[in-house]
């Protein structure tokens, strides 16, 4: 009792003297008795926030909610809505899964278990050569739920390297021992929950009870540390949620996403393929895919012409020195494809990782006056960047891809207008492709860290103001992120939501003060002096490959009529009507409607089913009656009302539909 009183009075004494200032994201400051933690700060703000908060950033570092903050700090609380919140949630779930695995398989060795974009994984090695199978996953899920219900506290402990090595030697876990061996003494932390202890940097949830719904999704083989000379471990993937309903919704979305996978639909519709003989991550566009891509390119070219862009073409390789000047060698030289050398002259070339240096050289090919600016240079430029084979994913992550690239060289006073014009172009694209749900993010510099950025402060002030005003004047809803700008300039990003509610980053508009400096770009001003132009990089689609992938998954392959590689298929009821079908096709093709005939000797029902997989917007069925009346029976994609029309009326209908949809171009 005595002792307790003493410690209580000590605490009062302490709190009277040691108050710490906590600065919140809105710059308001709250004082707390030291020590305080994230959870307590959340509680002081609202009960609801205290329930929803998952982790806390303390001076830019993400911490556990229960870790003591002992000095004045800037903090930000993270909920499920923030990646930092989900990361703590999913990483804690990886520990929970490991705990469940250890219950069934004592002596399991654990590699790494990070949170990923959607969920988490853990690389494990079961004892005595045992292997997990899909059948084991439900029992692990149940065990995890049981452990979660115990609401075991997840406790952080900092220990010395010596103690860490001893602990994991006892566990005979050579994987962790290898990891600890590479850590510096004084930086090692452990996390413990229930009977499970793991080497970990954190951060974690306060306890396992936050985790309410669990799905272990798949198993895969993974070499320890990604090196094929090492042991093959088992990678167990999973995802968890704070509510059961969220898991149900996620599973439905996953089913739908599988059906819409662009790799599956791309195969069914014969849009693109890959060949091991050609090489990994190098897409081959099949005739229909090439036609689709050409439609997109022609469309964008037409829009860009209206906005004063000029098309240029540059080679797929460039002298290494060019990329040393641009700085791209530093980024891509070592960590990408190796250089190519010539046999006689010993010249060194690189596969082009970026189009910008080439465009700078075009800019420099003649002198410029302030009156010529802006110069807007566009190119569907193919670039090559190395991606690890495990990271490749259909068209969304490839090693060769074509950017719908353009560079605008302008005067500082033209920045705002140029931004507004690029925003217009992006709007036109979104409208033509029915992307209605998107957010825009403005990335600005961190004013507290001025040395990080290249270019004059007054230029930064001007360009940030130009972006903000351009967005306002265009009525864009924006999120502003301070400190997210690249070192060479602020930017604006467009993120679209697809039909399944997934976010994709598409167009970027990036201001650049760096390349004009590195290439010594100039124009002659009205004052007859030399000035530096500002450069804007912009790619509304991003890359043709990735954009087509997003479009396939968004539309499930049912492209808008104007874009469909084949717009109409004519299906003769029997061979007798093949000739008439050809005639119909000819009339439509002459009106620029992309039409094919399915003259296979198959029953009409079969033909309809097969062509449904091709997702052609219209099927025309022709038989005896149609031949007699010079008509077609129209069957729109996905069924709907059949209508009998004169060939010419149908051609007119489609031409008008296409024209209307693109009327704003
Ligand atoms: Zn951990
Ligand atoms: Zn560029």
């Amino acid at each position: 009792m005595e002792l307790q009183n003493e410690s209580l009075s000590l605490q009062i004494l302490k709190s009277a003297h040691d108050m710490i200032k906590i600065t919140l994201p809105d710059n308001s400051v709250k004082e707390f008795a030291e020590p305080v933690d994230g959870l307590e700060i959340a509680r002081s703000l609202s009960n609801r926030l205290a329930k929803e908060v998952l982790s806390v950033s303390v001076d830019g570092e993400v911490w556990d909610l229960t870790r003591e903050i002992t000095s004045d700090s800037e903090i930000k609380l993270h909920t499920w809505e923030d990646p930092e919140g989900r990361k703590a949630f999913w990483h804690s779930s990886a520990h929970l899964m490991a705990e469940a695995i250890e219950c069934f398989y004592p002596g399991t060795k654990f590699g790494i278990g990070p949170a990923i974009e959607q969920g988490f994984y853990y690389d494990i090695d079961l004892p005595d050569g045992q292997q997990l199978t899909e059948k084991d996953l439900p029992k692990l899920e149940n065990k995890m739920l049981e452990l979660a219900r115990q609401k075991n506290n997840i406790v952080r402990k900092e220990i010395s390297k010596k103690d860490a090595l001893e602990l994991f030697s006892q566990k005979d876990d050579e994987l962790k021992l290898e990891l600890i061996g590479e850590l510096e003494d004084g930086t090692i932390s452990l996390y413990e929950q229930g009977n499970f202890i793991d080497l970990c940097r954190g951060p974690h949830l306060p306890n396992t009870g936050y985790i309410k719904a669990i799905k272990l999704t798949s198993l895969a083989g993974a070499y320890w540390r990604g090196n094929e000379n090492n042991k093959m471990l088992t990678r167990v993937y999973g995802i968890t949620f704070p509510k059961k309903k969220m898991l149900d919704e996620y599973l439905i979305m996953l089913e739908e996403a599988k059906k819409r996978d662009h790799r599956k639909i791309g195969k069914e519709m014969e849009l693109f393929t890959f060949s091991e003989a050609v090489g990994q991550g190098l897409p081959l566009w099949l005739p229909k895919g090439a036609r689709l891509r050409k439609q997109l390119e022609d469309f964008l070219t037409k829009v860009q012409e209206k906005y004063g862009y000029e098309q240029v073409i540059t080679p797929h390789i460039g002298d290494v020195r060019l990329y040393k000047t641009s700085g791209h060698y530093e980024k891509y030289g070592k960590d990408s494809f190796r250089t190519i050398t010539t046999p006689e002259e010993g010249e060194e070339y690189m596969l082009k990782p970026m189009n910008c240096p080439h465009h700078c050289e075009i800019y420099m090919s003649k002198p410029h006056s302030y009156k010529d600016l802006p110069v807007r240079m566009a190119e569907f430029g193919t670039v090559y960047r190395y991606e690890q084979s495990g990271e490749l994913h259909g068209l969304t992550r490839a090693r060769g891809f074509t950017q719908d690239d353009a560079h605008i060289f302008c005067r500082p006073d033209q920045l705002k207008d140029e931004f507004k014009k690029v925003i217009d172009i992006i709007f036109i694209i979104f409208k033509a492709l029915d992307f209605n749900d998107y957010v825009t993010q403005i990335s600005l510099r961190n004013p507290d860290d001025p040395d990080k950025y290249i270019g004059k402060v007054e230029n930064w002030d001007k360009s940030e103001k130009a972006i903000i005003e351009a967005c306002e004047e265009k009525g864009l809803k924006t999120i502003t992120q301070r400190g997210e700008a690249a070192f060479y300039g602020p930017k604006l990003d467009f993120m679209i939501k697809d039909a399944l509610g997934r976010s994709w980053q598409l167009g970027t508009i990036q201001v650049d003060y760096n390349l004009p400096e590195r290439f010594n770009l100039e124009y002659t001003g009205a004052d007859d002096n030399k000035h530096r132009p500002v450069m804007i990089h912009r790619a509304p689609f991003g890359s043709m490959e990735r954009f087509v992938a997003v479009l396939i998954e968004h539309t499930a392959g049912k492209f808008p009529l104007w874009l469909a590689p084949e717009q109409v298929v004519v299906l003769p009821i029997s061979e007798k009507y093949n000739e008439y079908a050809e005639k119909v096709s000819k009339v439509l093709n002459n009106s620029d409607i992309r039409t094919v005939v399915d003259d296979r000797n198959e029953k009409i029902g079969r033909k309809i089913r097969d062509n449904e997989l091709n997702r052609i917007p219209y099927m025309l069925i022709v038989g005896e009656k149609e031949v007699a009346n010079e008509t077609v029976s129209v069957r729109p994609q996905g069924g709907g009302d059949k209508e009998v029309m004169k060939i010419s009326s149908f051609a007119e209908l489609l031409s008008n539909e296409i024209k209307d949809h693109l009327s704003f171009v």
Side-chain angles (χ1 to χ4, degrees):
M1 206 58 200
E2 279 276 325
L3 207 74
Q4 240 177 18
N5 269 339
E6 197 175 51
S7 77
L8 194 67
S9 59
L10 255 178
Q11 217 176 3
I12 292 164
L13 254 177
K14 208 177 173 195
S15 60
H17 294 282
D18 298 329
M19 297 297 280
I20 54 172
K21 290 194 176 72
I22 297 294
T23 310
L24 299 168
D26 64 358
N27 280 326
S28 65
V29 178
K30 285 195 111 180
E31 291 207 12
F32 292 90
E34 181 227 341
V36 66
D37 64 20
L39 203 53
E40 201 180 322
I41 297 169
R43 223 176 270 134
S44 79
L45 294 168
S46 89
N47 281 336
R48 186 165 162 205
L49 185 60
K51 266 188 206 138
E52 288 178 355
V53 68
L54 301 172
S55 66
V56 56
S57 284
V58 179
D59 293 330
E61 208 185 10
V62 191
W63 280 21
D64 312 319
L65 284 177
T66 49
R67 187 163 163 191
E68 289 181 348
I69 303 169
T70 53
S71 57
D72 294 353
S73 311
E74 276 181 37
I75 70 124
K76 187 167 189 273
L77 297 164
H78 304 296
T79 66
W80 186 262
E81 300 308 314
D82 308 304
E84 296 91 340
R86 293 195 295 271
K87 202 173 164 193
F89 194 94
W90 283 331
H91 181 57
S92 301
S93 305
H95 280 225
L96 185 68
M97 179 173 80
E99 187 182 0
I101 290 170
E102 210 178 46
C103 289
F104 289 109
Y105 310 96
T108 296
K109 288 159 192 172
F110 294 99
I112 55 160
I116 51 177
E117 181 78 15
Q118 294 282 326
F120 58 89
Y121 70 76
Y122 219 128
D123 287 345
I124 61 161
D125 187 16
L126 293 190
D128 314 320
Q130 296 179 78
Q131 287 294 332
L132 277 188
T133 70
E134 302 270 345
K135 276 191 215 130
D136 300 314
L137 299 181
K139 90 177 173 205
L140 290 174
E141 285 168 5
N142 288 335
K143 190 70 178 174
M144 284 172 77
L145 281 172
E146 181 191 318
L147 293 166
R149 272 186 227 113
Q150 292 171 7
K151 296 194 172 116
N152 293 319
N153 285 337
I154 306 176
V155 183
R156 178 188 173 89
K157 285 182 180 158
E158 282 166 25
I159 69 166
S160 70
K161 188 166 177 170
K162 187 172 151 278
D163 289 346
L165 288 169
E166 205 177 293
L167 177 75
F168 287 93
S169 301
Q170 278 166 20
K171 292 179 138 220
D172 202 20
D173 189 337
E174 74 266 4
L175 303 180
K176 290 288 181 200
L177 287 171
E178 189 179 324
L179 294 175
I180 296 166
E182 292 162 15
L183 294 175
E184 259 176 62
D185 202 4
T187 62
I188 299 173
S189 55
L190 301 175
Y191 279 82
E192 188 171 21
Q193 86 220 22
N195 295 319
F196 180 75
I197 190 156
D198 202 355
L199 171 77
C200 178
R201 211 174 281 139
H204 281 285
L205 299 170
N207 66 64
T208 58
Y210 284 65
I211 301 163
K212 302 275 197 241
I214 297 164
K215 181 76 194 168
L216 300 186
T217 44
S218 61
L219 294 169
Y223 292 109
W224 169 234
R225 317 200 84 175
N227 183 338
E228 60 186 85
N229 298 319
N230 289 342
K231 185 164 190 186
M232 172 80 87
L233 306 176
T234 303
R235 179 166 294 179
V236 193
Y237 285 96
I239 193 161
T240 51
F241 293 92
K243 284 184 189 127
K244 170 85 170 58
K245 194 171 140 246
M246 291 166 80
L247 174 62
D248 296 341
E249 283 166 3
Y250 174 77
L251 293 176
I252 291 170
M253 194 277 287
L254 215 58
E255 268 314 299
E256 190 52 35
K258 247 189 229 161
K259 283 186 224 153
R260 286 170 181 248
D261 189 320
H262 74 276
R263 294 167 301 176
K264 174 177 165 281
I265 292 178
K267 200 174 198 174
E268 286 169 5
M269 294 179 72
E270 297 180 13
L271 298 175
F272 59 88
T273 187
F274 289 89
S275 147
E276 285 294 324
V278 171
Q280 298 188 70
L282 298 169
L284 302 172
W285 292 83
L286 302 175
K288 283 187 216 170
R291 210 179 294 151
L292 170 76
R293 174 169 155 174
K294 177 125 194 327
Q295 292 301 320
L296 284 169
E297 290 184 355
D298 289 352
F299 163 71
L300 184 60
T301 304
K302 209 166 131 197
V303 177
Q304 286 178 167
E305 271 169 10
K306 260 189 137 177
Y307 280 86
Y309 287 70
E310 285 183 294
Q311 209 72 28
V312 295
I313 299 171
T314 67
H316 289 228
I317 64 172
D319 195 298
V320 159
R321 286 169 298 179
L322 175 73
Y323 304 112
K324 285 185 175 161
T325 303
S326 70
H328 292 127
Y329 182 75
E330 240 172 89
K331 187 163 177 206
Y332 298 103
K334 267 207 313 294
D335 300 324
S336 195
F337 292 109
R338 293 294 114 104
T339 53
I340 310 159
T341 51
T342 56
E344 295 288 335
E345 302 83 350
E347 294 161 293
E348 238 188 311
Y349 289 94
M350 249 173 89
L351 285 170
K352 175 166 73 175
M354 288 272 205
N355 300 302
C356 346
H358 297 238
H359 292 186
C360 287
E361 290 294 321
I362 292 180
Y363 178 87
M364 285 200 290
S365 65
K366 67 174 189 186
H368 294 276
S369 119
Y370 69 99
K371 285 185 239 157
D372 315 334
L373 300 185
V375 169
R376 307 182 190 92
M377 240 178 257
E379 175 175 16
F380 291 99
T382 306
V383 295
Y384 301 90
R385 297 175 196 168
Y386 168 73
E387 298 275 0
Q388 282 186 2
S389 50
E391 301 287 320
L392 296 171
H393 185 87
L395 293 182
T396 52
R397 202 102 184 246
R399 285 175 171 175
F401 52 92
T402 302
Q403 298 178 311
D404 55 322
D405 213 354
H407 295 97
I408 300 166
F409 302 87
C410 67
R411 303 191 307 260
D413 64 279
Q414 294 171 321
L415 260 180
K416 182 164 120 187
D417 260 0
E418 287 310 303
F419 251 84
K420 281 164 74 176
K421 285 184 184 138
V422 181
I423 293 171
D424 281 343
I425 292 175
I426 291 176
F427 277 170
I428 289 172
I429 292 166
F430 284 1
K431 208 166 161 197
L433 294 163
D434 306 316
F435 286 123
N436 304 317
D437 195 356
Y438 55 85
V439 284
T440 42
Q441 179 181 313
I442 305 176
S443 298
L444 305 176
R445 88 206 117 135
N446 176 0
D448 299 334
D449 193 5
D451 295 341
K452 194 181 146 188
Y453 304 97
I454 187 166
K456 293 190 194 120
V457 172
E458 68 229 51
N459 281 338
W460 273 84
D461 288 342
K462 267 188 224 151
S463 61
E464 292 187 346
K465 193 165 165 257
I467 296 178
I468 293 166
E469 285 179 3
C471 289
E472 271 170 15
E473 285 168 36
K474 286 290 161 194
L476 283 180
K477 266 188 265 157
T478 54
I479 310 165
T480 303
Q481 295 280 20
R482 288 201 180 272
E484 287 290 302
F487 75 91
Y488 49 87
K491 64 171 178 169
L492 182 66
D493 285 311
F494 286 78
M495 270 88 62
I496 59 127
K497 265 216 172 119
D498 74 4
L500 298 185
R502 297 172 299 177
S503 275
W504 299 88
Q505 177 170 347
L506 290 181
T508 293
I509 319 176
Q510 169 80 57
V511 177
D512 186 354
Y513 292 111
N514 182 37
L515 284 189
E517 204 65 48
R518 283 178 167 259
F519 279 89
N520 199 19
L521 304 184
E522 289 176 339
Y523 65 90
T524 310
D527 58 2
D528 249 356
N529 289 328
K530 298 287 184 202
H531 296 271
R532 269 275 178 268
V534 190
M535 204 170 159
I536 301 174
H537 311 250
R538 41 109 286 176
F541 293 151
S543 84
M544 301 311 293
E545 285 73 10
R546 193 160 176 279
F547 189 76
V548 166
V550 173
L551 204 56
I552 291 172
E553 302 208 356
H554 178 55
T555 60
K558 292 169 186 156
F559 303 115
L561 178 65
W562 70 271
L563 194 57
E566 287 166 345
Q567 295 167 314
V568 176
V569 57
V570 190
L571 311 179
I573 284 175
S574 78
E575 269 175 274
K576 265 197 288 180
Y577 311 109
N578 282 359
E579 202 182 315
Y580 179 69
E582 287 298 340
K583 183 183 152 191
V584 172
S585 161
K586 209 168 163 191
V587 172
L588 294 175
N589 276 311
N590 282 341
S591 309
D592 286 327
I593 295 162
R594 295 182 289 277
T595 309
V596 288
V597 176
D598 184 352
D599 58 6
R600 292 174 305 155
N601 189 14
E602 292 285 355
K603 290 227 164 60
I604 188 72
R606 170 78 193 270
K607 284 190 191 180
I608 291 176
R609 275 197 306 281
D610 288 352
N611 279 291
E612 238 142 38
L613 267 189
N614 288 331
R615 298 160 174 88
I616 300 174
Y618 289 98
M619 293 188 206
L620 301 181
I621 295 156
V622 295
E624 197 179 340
K625 246 194 259 163
E626 285 79 12
V627 173
N629 302 322
E630 296 257 299
T631 56
V632 290
S633 279
V634 184
R635 193 174 195 280
Q637 189 174 58
D641 284 345
K642 259 184 264 166
E643 209 181 326
V644 179
M645 295 175 89
K646 286 275 176 204
I647 307 173
S648 57
S649 322
F650 178 72
E652 209 183 304
L653 182 83
L654 259 62
S655 297
N656 286 337
E657 192 181 329
I658 295 165
K659 232 184 273 158
D660 282 354
H661 201 80
L662 298 177
S663 60
F664 44 86
V665 175

